[in-house]
Amino acid sequence: MKIDGKEGRALWFENGAIKFIDQRKLPYKLEYYTAKTVDECAFAIKEMVVRGAPAIGATAVYGIVIGVNDLENTAEILRKTRPTAYDLFYAIEYMLEKIKECINPLNAADAYVEDIIDRCRRIGEHGEPLIKNGMKILTHCNAGALATVDYGTALSPFYIAHRRGKKFFVFADETRPRCQGLLTDWELEQEGIEHAVIADNAAGYYMKNGDIDMIITGADRIAGNGDFANKIGTYEKAVLAKENNIPFYVAAPISTFDDNLRSGDEILIEERGREELAVVNNCKIMPDYTKVKNPAFDVTPNKYVTGFITEDGIIKKL
Amino acid sequence: MKIDGKEGRALWFENGAIKFIDQRKLPYKLEYYTAKTVDECAFAIKEMVVRGAPAIGATAVYGIVIGVNDLENTAEILRKTRPTAYDLFYAIEYMLEKIKECINPLNAADAYVEDIIDRCRRIGEHGEPLIKNGMKILTHCNAGALATVDYGTALSPFYIAHRRGKKFFVFADETRPRCQGLLTDWELEQEGIEHAVIADNAAGYYMKNGDIDMIITGADRIAGNGDFANKIGTYEKAVLAKENNIPFYVAAPISTFDDNLRSGDEILIEERGREELAVVNNCKIMPDYTKVKNPAFDVTPNKYVTGFITEDGIIKKL
C-alpha cells in the first residue's frame, strides 16, 4: 500500500515493538501507534487501533513475540481481546505450535504475516484480469490493505491493475453505519486511483444507469454452499447487481470458507449498539429518543455471486 | 399531526403571519419560525425552514395574503425562492386567479391549504386498509405531515391506522445523505407509533429475513407509464421488495402524475453538492480530499410498483 507516496503497511514489527497506522484516527489524521508491551497489543486490538481479521491475526503473532517470556499469560491476554475473531485464535495457536517446535518466534511471526500478504497479492493477481480499461467498479465497506496488512482482498485487484497502468474508476459505498467507505477512500486516494464516495442509497441508481460494470466486495465468512456473510448492505448490492446483470465478485482468502456451515442460514448475525448509527466522527447525529436497529452483517445467497476470487484462482460454488 | 401531545400542523396562518415548525432545527429541537413579511416567507422557503412541495405551496398562498397590497412584487419574490418547485408556481397562479375573481385572499389561501390536507387525509383513508395488525412496514425518506402541512402522503395511512387502534411497526430508513428518516422518526415518535431507524444498508437484510411485510414511500413525480422519481435509494428498496415478494406502494396525490412525461427516462435527476454527504448536523464527517457523487433522486420503473395510493383510491398503471 502507498502511505504519503511511499510503500508501506498497516502494521509492522520494528525494534521489539509493533507499529500501527492508528485506524481510530483515519481517515481524518494519519497517526501511528506503537505497542511495546502485550497489554498495548491487546489495547490495539480491543480499541480498534487495528481492524480486519487478517491484520488482527498479524497483531497477535507479533504480540506473542513481545510476550514470549511469559507465553501462557500473553496468549490469554490476547485471546480475551475480541472473542469472535477466528484469525486471532488461529494466529495464537500457530505461534504456540511453532515455539513448541523450537522455531524462532520472530521468524515464525514474520512468516505468518508474509503469508497473509502473499495470499492477498495472489487474490489481486487472479482478480486483476477482470478489470478492463475504462471500467467503473463498485466496492462496499473496506476490504483493503488496512484490514490485511497490505493489498487487501477486494481492493487487491485494484492495486495490481493500477500498478500495471490500467485506468478505471471506483465507486466506494459510504457503508453506514461505520462509514468504512471512508477508509477505502483514504486507501485509493493514497494510491492515486480515481474514485468517489457515494451514499449507499446511490449504488442502485448508478447500476440502473449503466454506470457500474462490476462489483467486488470482501467476505467475512463463506458457508459450504457459497452463501457468505459480509458487512451490512452487501446483500442489497448483490440483488441490485443481479437485477441489472452486473457481475458480482467476492474476494477472500481460502481460510474464509467454512465448510462446517452448510448454508448462510447457520451464520449468526451480530446486532450492534445504537451509538454506531447515532454518532459519526464523535458527532451526535441522532436525538436521544431515536431507537435504532443495527445488524452489523448480512448474508448474501450464493446465487448472486459470479465468482469467488481466492489466492488459488476464481471459483464458483455449485 | 401530533406535536408535544397536541393536534398541530407543520405551518399555519395566525395574526397576519405564517407560523412554521422550523425544520432547520428538527429533529434536534422543536422551534417555531414566524414570517410576518413577504421577505420572511421567501426566506422560509429558501432556507428550508419549510420543505416538501405541498408545504411550500401552502407557504406561497399565505405569502400572497401577506403581500397582497403589492401583488406583482410579492409573486415575483416568491417565484424566485426555489426555481424547480412545481407546487410553488401553481400556488402563486392559483392565488392571482382568485384575487382577480375578487375572492377574499385569506379565504382562497385557507381553501388551498385545506384541500392539500384533505387530499392527504384521503390518501390515508385509501391506504389504511392495507395495514393489518402486527405488520412491519418500511418507509424511505420523509413523506409525512412536515412536508404536506398535515398527514403526509406515505405516512398518512400510518396515522389513520394508528388512530383506529391498529398495532404495527415502522422501519424508517435513515435516508442518507440528508437523513430525512430522522424527520419520519420525529413524526412517528410524536404520534406514538412504534418504530426504529435503520441504516439504509439494513433494509434488504430485514426484507430477506421476512421482517418487512410492506413498503410505502412517497413520490416526487410520476411519469405517464408509472415510472416515478423519488428520494435517492427508493429504487434500491423497490428492487429488493420485488426480489423478496414484498408489496411496494407509492402514496402521492393525483397532482404528482405528469402525463407529459412518457417514461421515467425523461425525468432529469439533480446532482447536488458534496456538503450534503460530508456534513451531518453541522459536523464534518468526511475529510476535505474526499470526492463524492450525490444524485438527489432516482427513478423506479413502474414494474416494481404494486399500486399508487392516491386521494381517489389505489391505482395501478398498466
Side-chain angles (χ1 to χ4, degrees):
Chain A
M1 70 188 299
K2 285 280 193 326
I3 304 165
D4 282 348
K6 290 185 202 126
E7 196 55 37
R9 289 182 173 182
L11 66 93
W12 66 95
F13 195 76
E14 188 185 296
N15 299 329
I18 314 178
K19 293 259 191 182
F20 298 90
I21 293 181
D22 191 338
Q23 298 193 39
R24 296 171 302 175
K25 308 291 172 67
L26 285 186
Y28 309 103
K29 271 184 281 183
L30 176 60
E31 287 181 10
Y32 294 91
Y33 176 86
T34 305
K36 289 181 191 152
T37 66
V38 173
D39 283 339
E40 286 166 348
C41 292
F43 176 89
I45 298 173
K46 255 193 231 168
E47 298 300 317
M48 296 180 81
V49 172
V50 60
R51 49 163 280 288
I56 288 171
T59 305
V61 293
Y62 288 132
I64 295 277
V65 173
I66 291 172
V68 73
N69 293 329
D70 186 7
L71 205 50
E72 222 165 285
N73 206 17
T74 298
E76 199 46 32
I77 290 170
L78 292 173
R79 273 195 202 100
K80 279 188 187 152
T81 50
R82 298 214 34 206
T84 52
Y86 173 76
D87 287 54
L88 173 69
F89 298 106
Y90 178 81
I92 294 167
E93 291 317 307
Y94 163 91
M95 285 300 288
L96 297 180
E97 194 60 39
K98 294 295 165 185
I99 289 166
K100 209 184 282 172
E101 291 168 17
C102 293
I103 294 171
N104 172 287
L106 183 54
N107 289 351
D110 279 341
Y112 182 94
V113 174
E114 293 308 321
D115 182 60
I116 292 175
I117 295 172
D118 188 57
R119 286 173 195 273
C120 287
R121 191 190 52 72
R122 281 154 58 203
I123 287 171
E125 289 286 350
H126 288 295
E128 188 271 343
L130 298 170
I131 299 174
K132 317 288 182 204
N133 265 312
M135 262 193 174
K136 295 175 196 153
I137 307 160
L138 175 74
T139 190
H140 190 72
C141 197
N142 173 259
L146 288 168
T148 67
V149 187
D150 202 358
Y151 287 104
T153 54
L155 297 193
S156 185
F158 298 160
Y159 289 134
I160 306 240
H162 176 73
R163 289 168 195 181
R164 291 186 184 155
K166 286 187 183 171
K167 301 263 178 243
F168 53 95
F169 185 89
V170 180
F171 287 91
D173 273 346
E174 180 185 35
T175 317
R176 283 283 285 151
R178 291 185 73 101
C179 302
Q180 291 96 336
L182 297 180
L183 298 178
T184 295
D185 178 40
W186 183 85
E187 285 195 29
L188 297 179
E189 186 74 19
Q190 292 287 330
E191 190 74 18
I193 294 174
E194 228 194 313
H195 71 286
V197 175
I198 57 172
D200 301 294
N201 279 322
Y205 168 83
Y206 287 112
M207 285 192 230
K208 177 165 164 286
N209 289 359
D211 285 330
I212 291 176
D213 302 302
M214 179 164 65
I215 300 172
I216 308 179
T217 74
D220 281 87
R221 214 159 164 198
I222 305 167
N225 71 343
D227 298 352
F228 73 100
N230 194 45
K231 186 58 55 200
I232 190 75
T234 303
Y235 166 71
E236 293 196 357
K237 307 313 152 192
V239 169
L240 287 153
K242 180 187 161 222
E243 191 76 1
N244 290 286
N245 297 308
I246 297 166
F248 185 96
Y249 287 95
V250 178
I254 293 290
S255 61
T256 314
F257 289 84
D258 183 351
D259 285 342
N260 293 323
L261 298 168
R262 269 165 308 175
S263 86
D265 298 339
E266 296 179 20
I267 302 175
L268 278 179
I269 300 298
E270 180 187 2
E271 172 100 18
R272 296 176 59 92
R274 82 180 286 283
E275 293 303 296
E276 278 193 355
L277 264 153
V279 180
V280 182
N281 191 19
N282 297 317
C283 286
K284 205 170 105 170
I285 65 163
M286 292 185 181
D288 291 334
Y289 62 76
T290 300
K291 294 185 192 75
V292 310
K293 287 180 180 278
N294 181 23
F297 302 96
D298 58 24
V299 172
T300 301
N302 180 50
K303 67 174 172 181
Y304 299 103
V305 179
T306 307
F308 291 98
I309 309 171
T310 76
E311 64 269 47
D312 295 336
I314 300 178
I315 61 173
K316 176 81 190 121
K317 280 267 183 181
L318 297 177
Chain B
M1 70 187 300
K2 286 279 194 323
I3 303 165
D4 282 347
K6 292 186 200 120
E7 196 55 36
R9 288 182 174 184
L11 65 95
W12 66 96
F13 196 76
E14 188 184 295
N15 300 328
I18 314 177
K19 293 258 191 183
F20 298 90
I21 293 181
D22 190 339
Q23 298 193 39
R24 296 171 302 175
K25 308 291 172 67
L26 285 185
Y28 309 103
K29 271 186 279 182
L30 176 61
E31 288 181 10
Y32 295 91
Y33 176 85
T34 305
K36 290 180 192 153
T37 66
V38 174
D39 284 340
E40 285 167 350
C41 293
F43 176 89
I45 297 172
K46 255 192 231 167
E47 299 300 318
M48 296 180 82
V49 171
V50 60
R51 50 163 278 288
I56 288 171
T59 306
V61 293
Y62 287 132
I64 296 278
V65 173
I66 291 172
V68 74
N69 293 330
D70 186 6
L71 204 51
E72 222 165 283
N73 206 18
T74 298
E76 201 44 34
I77 290 169
L78 293 173
R79 273 195 202 100
K80 279 188 187 152
T81 50
R82 294 201 55 194
T84 52
Y86 173 76
D87 287 53
L88 172 69
F89 298 106
Y90 178 80
I92 294 167
E93 291 317 308
Y94 162 92
M95 285 301 287
L96 297 181
E97 195 60 40
K98 293 295 165 189
I99 289 166
K100 211 184 280 170
E101 292 168 17
C102 293
I103 294 171
N104 172 287
L106 183 53
N107 290 352
D110 280 342
Y112 182 95
V113 174
E114 293 308 321
D115 182 62
I116 291 174
I117 294 172
D118 188 57
R119 287 173 194 273
C120 287
R121 191 191 49 73
R122 281 153 60 200
I123 287 171
E125 289 286 350
H126 289 294
E128 187 272 342
L130 298 172
I131 299 174
K132 316 287 181 206
N133 266 314
M135 261 194 176
K136 294 174 196 155
I137 306 160
L138 175 74
T139 188
H140 190 71
C141 198
N142 174 258
L146 288 168
T148 67
V149 187
D150 202 359
Y151 288 104
T153 53
L155 298 193
S156 186
F158 298 160
Y159 289 133
I160 307 242
H162 177 70
R163 290 168 195 182
R164 294 192 180 149
K166 287 187 183 171
K167 301 260 177 245
F168 52 95
F169 185 90
V170 180
F171 287 91
D173 272 348
E174 179 185 33
T175 317
R176 283 282 285 151
R178 290 186 74 100
C179 302
Q180 291 96 335
L182 297 180
L183 298 177
T184 296
D185 177 40
W186 183 84
E187 285 195 29
L188 298 178
E189 185 75 19
Q190 292 287 330
E191 190 75 19
I193 295 173
E194 228 193 314
H195 70 284
V197 175
I198 57 172
D200 301 294
N201 279 323
Y205 168 83
Y206 287 112
M207 287 192 228
K208 178 166 165 285
N209 289 0
D211 286 330
I212 292 176
D213 302 302
M214 180 163 64
I215 300 173
I216 308 179
T217 74
D220 280 86
R221 213 159 165 198
I222 304 168
N225 70 343
D227 298 352
F228 74 101
N230 194 46
K231 186 58 56 201
I232 190 74
T234 304
Y235 166 70
E236 293 195 357
K237 307 313 152 190
V239 169
L240 287 154
K242 182 188 159 221
E243 190 76 3
N244 290 285
N245 296 309
I246 297 166
F248 185 94
Y249 287 95
V250 177
I254 293 291
S255 61
T256 315
F257 289 83
D258 183 351
D259 285 342
N260 293 322
L261 298 169
R262 272 167 305 178
S263 85
D265 297 340
E266 296 179 18
I267 303 175
L268 278 180
I269 300 298
E270 181 187 1
E271 171 100 18
R272 294 178 58 94
R274 78 181 288 285
E275 293 305 295
E276 278 192 356
L277 265 152
V279 180
V280 182
N281 191 21
N282 297 316
C283 286
K284 205 170 105 171
I285 65 163
M286 292 185 181
D288 291 334
Y289 62 74
T290 300
K291 292 184 193 74
V292 310
K293 285 178 180 279
N294 181 22
F297 303 96
D298 58 25
V299 172
T300 301
N302 180 51
K303 67 174 172 181
Y304 299 103
V305 179
T306 307
F308 291 97
I309 309 171
T310 77
E311 63 270 45
D312 295 336
I314 301 177
I315 61 174
K316 175 82 192 120
K317 281 268 184 181
L318 296 177

